[in-house]
Every structure is written in structure tokens, then in C-alpha cells.
Amino acid sequence: MLTLTENASMAVKSIVEQVPDAPEGGLRIRDTGSAETGFELGISPQPETTDAVVEVEGARVFLDAGAALALDDKVLDAQMEQDGSVSFALAVQS
């Protein structure tokens, strides 16, 4: 199952907190089915019925079936910039 670093957990919580209509929401990762576009990220107020849910320190990530399969052995990391932007990166779990 996908794991999150402490930075990724903080980034996800920070992003979701900015959406007032999603108090129980999370970051949803959807596999686009294309190697060129990879994954689509968005804020969702709740997981879809078929989503896998990863919760770490209050941060919730929802994975569609394709993303859950593709990211099963990955770690999600994040870097928060001073201007408020966030960059996510994936690495293989060690």
C-alpha cells in the first residue's frame, strides 16, 4: 500500500484544509491510464466507493483502483515552497 512521508502528510492536510466543503476529504489520486499523463490529483470530499484509503496522521489519500495497483510499493513525498506551492514525488519503498 502507498505510504506517505511526514512532509506529504503535512502537505495533504494543508491542501485539504483550504477546501471548506471537504472537512472529511482528502487528496484523490486517479490513474489516467496514460504513461504520458500518469496520475491526476484533486481534492475530493470523500472517497469513491471503490477507492483505497490511506490515512496517516490525519492526512487522507484516496486511490482509484488503477492508482492503488500502480502505487502499491511507492512512497509519496512532498516539498512545500515558500510561495505556498507543493511538489509531490514518488519513490520506491525501501
Side-chain angles (χ1 to χ4, degrees):
M1 177 73 68
L2 176 73
T3 60
L4 280 67
T5 65
E6 184 177 333
N7 285 346
S9 296
M10 290 187 325
V12 169
K13 285 191 290 190
S14 176
I15 291 168
V16 173
E17 286 172 354
Q18 296 177 33
V19 181
D21 296 340
E24 299 296 319
L27 178 71
R28 184 159 194 269
I29 303 176
R30 184 179 77 81
D31 185 356
T32 64
S34 166
E36 290 142 8
T37 57
F39 300 98
E40 178 180 277
L41 303 177
I43 301 302
S44 180
Q46 61 192 22
E48 299 290 325
T49 57
T50 58
D51 284 352
V53 178
V54 176
E55 189 164 353
V56 178
E57 298 178 15
R60 298 178 78 201
V61 176
F62 311 139
L63 304 165
D64 79 352
L69 182 63
L71 302 178
D72 186 53
D73 63 344
K74 304 291 188 284
V75 176
L76 181 66
D77 193 13
Q79 182 173 342
M80 298 177 71
E81 303 296 335
Q82 290 185 355
D83 66 0
S85 64
V86 177
S87 299
F88 287 102
L90 291 167
V92 175
Q93 293 179 19
S94 54

